Amino acid sequence: MRARILMALLVVAACGSAKAPPTPAEAPRKVTSADFALVPCAPVTAPHPCVMVIAGGKRVLFGTPAGIVEGLTPTDLQNLDAVMLFSLRGEDIEGLDDVRNASWRAGHETPLRVSGPVGTTQVLSAINKAYEASDAFTFVEQAPAGGFNAAVLQPLPGEKDTKTRVFNTGDLVVTHLVNDKERVGYWVDYNGVRVVLEPCGMTQAAQFSGPANLTVSCEEADLEWPITEVVFVPLGMPPEGTEAP
């Protein structure tokens, strides 16, 4: 009898000392059509500036370094609205042809629009020309849903302007600013909220933006490249330095 009591006490003690099961990690918040979010590119693109901006359901890719396609989902590629280049330097555009080809195969239905500094039209034309034969074989063997013309990279207007709006859907407006070294920074405005994106070696986009809600750059910025996790930009909040109405 005494042995049974001791055994029971040992069982109770063991149960009481057992650790509680770990709390499951909270699932990452999904980006919805109502959000203004910065989605990081694939880790292999670091440290080059690169980010997918999703705002109001629209997708605009900023930067196309090598390896960019590894972080883009089929949904991203199929619904990509535009691509913004930070410069025409090799490290900033090495992945542009991959984005072109992958988005076409994913079912992108229209020519992919691209903005950049002076010379962008010539670069896009050269890339399109280089893939003419490949496009023809792809279309014959397994035609992508978007059709043959959807493979084309198409320049957005304004590449010769130092400052101009290059993308405007009413609620989402992208303005590019080009410095004397042909580096391009961007103001991304969505429903009254401004995010500034600029590459290393440039400060003009932040300097002349006025009050901004978020600045991503290389020096003295709210965030520095590379962005490593999804950043949700609060909507309905006045930029720093302004007062709410």
Side-chain angles (χ1 to χ4, degrees):
M1 182 67 177
R2 185 176 180 181
R4 291 179 182 178
I5 294 174
L6 288 174
M7 182 63 70
L9 290 174
L10 288 173
V11 171
V12 170
C15 292
S17 62
K19 294 183 179 179
T23 303
E26 184 177 351
R29 176 183 164 190
K30 292 184 178 180
V31 180
T32 71
S33 60
D35 289 317
F36 186 6
L38 310 184
V39 180
C41 296
V44 295
T45 63
H48 306 297
C50 182
V51 69
M52 171 79 77
V53 172
I54 300 180
K58 303 168 190 69
R59 287 171 166 79
V60 181
L61 179 62
F62 291 81
T64 57
I68 174 63
V69 169
E70 293 185 27
L72 298 177
T73 68
T75 298
D76 291 332
L77 292 164
Q78 183 179 9
N79 298 291
L80 195 56
D81 289 284
V83 175
M84 306 291 159
L85 304 177
F86 287 112
S87 81
L88 295 181
R89 292 166 174 79
E91 64 269 21
D92 287 329
I93 63 170
E94 284 181 304
L96 181 57
D97 58 338
D98 290 335
V99 173
R100 172 198 189 274
N101 298 332
S103 63
W104 185 41
R105 291 194 298 270
H108 196 273
E109 296 184 351
T110 59
L112 186 57
R113 297 176 292 173
V114 182
S115 180
V118 172
T120 296
T121 296
Q122 287 81 356
V123 169
L124 303 187
S125 178
I127 292 175
N128 290 332
K129 183 70 175 177
Y131 282 96
E132 276 186 353
S134 175
D135 292 346
F137 284 120
T138 299
F139 192 75
V140 170
E141 294 170 358
Q142 189 174 3
F148 189 77
N149 290 332
V152 177
L153 294 174
Q154 185 178 87
L156 282 162
E159 72 174 70
K160 295 183 179 179
D161 298 323
T162 302
K163 174 191 170 188
T164 189
R165 291 181 175 181
V166 293
F167 185 81
N168 187 350
T169 63
D171 57 345
L172 176 61
V173 179
V174 178
T175 303
H176 89 180
L177 297 93
V178 187
N179 70 5
D180 57 359
K181 295 181 180 179
E182 298 300 318
R183 296 186 188 275
V184 190
Y186 295 92
W187 300 342
V188 186
D189 294 291
Y190 177 63
N191 285 342
V193 175
R194 171 167 290 184
V195 170
V196 178
L197 303 172
E198 64 181 3
C200 300
M202 180 180 190
T203 60
Q204 289 85 350
Q207 182 179 353
F208 297 109
S209 73
N213 296 73
L214 180 69
T215 298
V216 185
S217 185
C218 287
E219 298 178 0
E220 299 181 358
D222 301 309
L223 288 176
E224 295 184 0
W225 302 109
I227 293 175
T228 58
E229 58 185 16
V230 177
V231 177
F232 290 91
V233 184
L235 296 173
M237 295 293 290
E240 184 178 348
T242 64
E243 296 182 358

